[in-house]
Amino acid sequence: MSIYSDNKTIINEQQDERTPLLPTKTCCSSSNNSYCCSSKNGSNDRKGKQCASNGNDDYCHLANQPWKYKAVALTCALFLAVGSHFAAHTLGAMKNTVKQEFGISNAQYGVLQSSVSIVNTILPVLGGIFLDAFGTVSGSIVTTLLITFGNVLVAASTSNASLSTMIVGRILYGIGSGTVVIVQETILSQWFKGRSLAGVVALMMTVSRLSSFLAQATVVPIANFTGWYGYGFWFSAFLCVFSLVINLIYIMLMRTIISGTCQQGAQVVRRKKSFSWNKLLYLPHSFWLIATMEFLLGGAWGCFLHINSEFVKFRFGYDNTHAAATASVAQVAPIFLMPILGVCVDRFGRRTWMTLASGLSFVASLLLLGFTYANPLIGMFLFSVSLALGPVGLVSSVPVILPLSLVGTGMGLIKSSTNIGASLFDIATGFLQDAAENQGYGHVIDFFIGIGVLAVIAGLTLCVLDYTMYGSILDRSAQEAKRLEALENKIETSAAQEKLWANWIYGGLYIFLAALSWIMFFKFVLVY
C-alpha cells in the first residue's frame, strides 16, 4: 500500500519538485520598518527594500540588485570553473603521451586520475560546511588558488617527468575542484531565485560541459602545433589563472555592493549553521538508490572520459589528434540537451524514466564501441546522451524526495558517491588494462558494461519503489504538483517521513566504499 494515499498526499509548496536545487530564501515581510538595503539612490523603494530581522538580508539584497550587477555576477560564476573543468580532461586526452613521457603503467595512470577524485570522496560535504562558515568570498579564493597552484605544478612536472610532482599538483587541484562547483551554485543561489535560478544553474552546467568538451578537442592540437606536449598542460594552467582573475573581479563587485549599501551583508561570512548527524537517519530508501546510481554511472562516466581517447586510438587505429577529437564527442549532447531536459523535467516530470534511459544508453554505447566496428562517433554520441540524461534526472530528484533541511546534506553525499566510484573505477580499469594481453581494453569494456547493467537494475528498482512506496513522487510534473496543492491541504510529502534504521546499513556501506577507495589509492601510490 502506498504511503501517499490520495486523500492525504500533497506536495508542500516549500518542498515540491518546483523547489530549486539550491533552496531560495524569501525576504521577510515589512513588519519591521528598518531595512538593511536600499536602492541605488538610497530611497527605500519597492525593489530596494529588504528586512534584516530574519538574517537573510545577504540573499535578499543580492537577489534584488540591478541587472548590471547581476550580469557581472552571472558571468563571473559561469567562468569561475572554466579552468577547473578544462583541466579535468586534459590528462585524459594526453594519456598515451603522458605514459610514454613519464614511463608509467596504466595502473600508475589510474592513480594519477584518482588523485583528483580521491580527495573528493569527503570534500563535497566538508566544502559545504566551509562555505556555510566562511562565505563564498573566502571559499572562492581558497578553491581557485588551489586549482591554479595545483595545475601549475602539473604543468611544471612535464619539464622533468616528475610523477610525484604531478600527483601532488593533481591532489591540490582536486581539493579545489571538489568545492568550486558548490561555490558556483551558492553564488547563483544568492543572486537569483525562482525559475531564474533553475535557468542559470542549467546554463552553468552547459558552460562546464563545454569546457570539458573543448579540453578533449583542443589539447592535443595545441601540443602538436607547439611541438611539445607540455604546452597543452600550461594552457590548462593559464585558463586556471584566468578563472582566478574572474574570481577577483567578483570579489571586487561584492565589496563595491556591500560598502555602498548593506553593511550587515558582510556578516554573512561569519555566520555558522548547525548540523545534526541525527538527520541522516531520515534519508529514505529512494535516496540511497539515487546515490547508488550516482556511484555506478557517475563514477563510470568520469572514468571512461579519462581513457576514451586512448581507447579510440587502440580500438580503431586512429592517431592521437583524430582519437582525441572523436573522444570529445562523448561530451557533446549535454551542451545542447541539458537546458532542454531541465524544461522537460519541469513540464513532464518522469525522472525515473530519465535515469533508466541513461543507464540503457550507457550500456548500448559500450556494446557498440566494444563489440562492433561501427563508426565510434555513434557510440560516443550515445554515451553523451547518457551523460545528459543521468545528471538531470538524478540531481533533480534529490530536492523532490528530501525536505529542504536535508537537501544540502543529500547533495553532498551524492557528489561524494560519484567521486568514490570514480576513484575505485580509475584504479580498477588501470589494473585490468595492465593485466590484459597487449594492454588492450577488452576487460575494461566488459567491466563498464557490468557497471551499466547494475545501474539499469538500480534504475528499475527505483521505478518500482517510487511507484509502490512513494506515490510516483519522482515522476510528477510541476503542473501536477501545483494542481495537488490546490486540491489538498498542503501536507508535507517528501520521502523522508520517519527514521529508517536501514540507514545504519546504508551508511556503513558508504563508509566502507569510501575507506576502500583511500586504501586502494595509497596501496598503488606506495607500490609504484
Side-chain angles (χ1 to χ4, degrees):
M1 179 178 179
S2 172
I3 64 174
Y4 294 93
S5 57
D6 293 338
N7 60 342
K8 292 184 179 180
T9 302
I10 186 64
I11 301 297
N12 186 289
E13 63 182 352
Q14 297 297 322
Q15 299 172 339
D16 65 5
E17 56 240 76
R18 293 179 295 117
T19 303
L21 173 63
L22 297 169
T24 61
K25 302 176 183 177
T26 55
C27 301
C28 57
S29 64
S30 57
S31 58
N32 188 328
N33 290 327
S34 64
Y35 300 100
C36 71
C37 308
S38 62
S39 61
K40 183 177 180 181
N41 61 7
S43 63
N44 289 335
D45 64 3
R46 189 171 185 179
K47 292 183 179 180
K49 289 181 178 181
Q50 299 301 330
C51 175
S53 62
N54 68 344
N56 291 336
D57 54 289
D58 56 300
Y59 172 81
C60 297
H61 172 57
L62 295 178
N64 287 277
Q65 284 296 315
W67 261 102
K68 66 178 181 180
Y69 292 137
K70 281 189 173 184
V72 176
L74 176 60
T75 302
C76 292
L78 292 178
F79 288 99
L80 189 66
V82 165
S84 176
H85 289 291
F86 191 95
H89 296 279
T90 301
L91 188 62
M94 304 281 284
K95 177 182 178 180
N96 191 60
T97 302
V98 169
K99 287 196 306 179
Q100 292 177 352
E101 295 292 335
F102 281 71
I104 61 176
S105 65
N106 291 294
Q108 287 173 296
Y109 173 81
V111 170
L112 269 178
Q113 288 289 12
S114 64
S115 61
V116 172
S117 54
I118 190 68
V119 294
N120 289 317
T121 57
I122 56 175
L123 273 182
V125 178
L126 299 180
I129 297 174
F130 178 87
L131 290 176
D132 283 343
F134 299 101
T136 55
V137 172
S138 299
S140 61
I141 279 290
V142 172
T143 55
T144 50
L145 280 175
L146 285 170
I147 290 170
T148 302
F149 185 58
N151 277 284
V152 168
L153 283 180
V154 169
S157 70
T158 60
S159 298
N160 57 0
S162 173
L163 181 61
S164 59
T165 301
M166 180 171 278
I167 289 178
V168 171
R170 295 281 292 177
I171 290 175
L172 291 176
Y173 158 66
I175 295 173
S177 64
T179 311
V180 70
V181 174
I182 302 175
V183 172
Q184 285 181 291
E185 293 173 345
T186 304
I187 289 174
L188 293 176
S189 69
Q190 291 174 343
W191 284 87
F192 301 91
K193 55 186 177 180
R195 292 186 178 274
S196 61
L197 175 61
V200 294
V201 168
L203 184 60
M204 179 198 75
M205 295 174 69
T206 300
V207 172
S208 298
R209 189 55 61 185
L210 179 61
S211 301
S212 301
F213 164 75
L214 290 175
Q216 282 197 304
T218 62
V219 67
V220 173
I222 290 173
N224 292 339
F225 178 78
T226 58
W228 181 48
Y229 80 103
Y231 284 123
F233 290 96
W234 278 111
F235 181 76
S236 176
F238 168 76
L239 287 181
C240 294
V241 173
F242 168 75
S243 294
L244 177 60
V245 172
I246 291 294
N247 185 31
L248 295 176
I249 294 174
Y250 176 74
I251 291 174
M252 289 189 291
L253 173 67
M254 288 295 293
R255 288 184 176 179
T256 300
I257 293 175
I258 290 176
S259 63
T261 55
C262 184
Q263 294 296 330
Q264 280 187 317
Q267 296 178 1
V268 70
V269 298
R270 303 184 184 93
R271 187 177 65 230
K272 293 178 172 61
K273 298 181 180 179
S274 61
F275 176 80
S276 173
W277 292 102
N278 189 55
K279 294 194 305 182
L280 299 180
L281 294 177
Y282 287 89
L283 294 172
H285 299 293
S286 54
F287 169 81
W288 290 106
L289 275 171
I290 292 171
T292 299
M293 293 193 70
E294 276 287 352
F295 168 77
L296 295 169
L297 284 178
W301 289 328
C303 182
F304 183 76
L305 289 173
H306 294 158
I307 64 173
N308 64 340
S309 180
E310 187 187 56
F311 165 75
V312 171
K313 178 181 179 178
F314 283 8
R315 170 72 173 162
F316 298 96
Y318 292 178
D319 58 30
N320 287 334
T321 303
H322 193 186
T326 301
S328 67
V329 176
Q331 304 195 64
V332 166
I335 298 173
F336 307 101
L337 285 182
M338 276 185 168
I340 299 173
L341 290 173
V343 175
C344 290
V345 167
D346 183 65
R347 293 192 62 182
F348 306 109
R350 302 296 183 265
R351 293 173 181 82
T352 59
W353 295 18
M354 201 172 289
T355 56
L356 183 58
S358 177
L360 290 171
S361 58
F362 176 77
V363 173
S365 69
L366 292 169
L367 290 173
L368 278 174
L369 291 169
F371 296 96
T372 74
Y373 281 95
N375 192 314
L377 290 174
I378 301 174
M380 289 297 172
F381 182 78
L382 194 56
F383 176 91
S384 73
V385 172
S386 172
L387 191 58
L389 289 168
V392 174
L394 291 170
V395 173
S396 67
S397 296
V398 175
V400 175
I401 62 174
L402 297 182
L404 294 185
S405 61
L406 280 173
V407 168
T409 304
M411 287 305 305
L413 288 171
I414 289 294
K415 292 181 180 180
S416 177
S417 298
T418 301
N419 287 295
I420 290 173
S423 298
L424 291 173
F425 299 164
D426 276 330
I427 296 174
T429 52
F431 178 79
L432 288 172
Q433 189 178 359
D434 281 338
E437 184 179 356
N438 299 322
Q439 295 190 344
Y441 276 91
H443 295 327
V444 174
I445 294 298
D446 292 340
F447 174 76
F448 279 132
I449 291 174
I451 294 297
V453 170
L454 290 176
V456 171
I457 294 173
L460 287 171
T461 306
L462 180 63
C463 290
V464 174
L465 196 70
D466 182 58
Y467 177 76
T468 58
M469 291 187 64
Y470 303 115
S472 298
I473 188 174
L474 291 176
D475 287 337
R476 292 174 182 164
S477 66
Q479 184 177 7
E480 183 179 1
K482 186 177 181 180
R483 179 180 59 82
L484 289 173
E485 287 178 9
L487 294 175
E488 303 290 345
N489 296 319
K490 300 181 181 178
I491 300 173
E492 179 182 338
T493 57
S494 67
Q497 293 286 325
E498 58 184 15
K499 287 185 179 180
L500 293 176
W501 295 110
N503 279 314
W504 288 102
I505 299 176
Y506 299 143
L509 289 173
Y510 166 81
I511 294 173
F512 169 76
L513 291 172
L516 180 63
S517 66
W518 282 87
I519 291 171
M520 294 293 291
F521 175 77
F522 282 111
K523 176 183 177 181
F524 278 91
V525 166
L526 293 176
V527 169
Y528 293 103

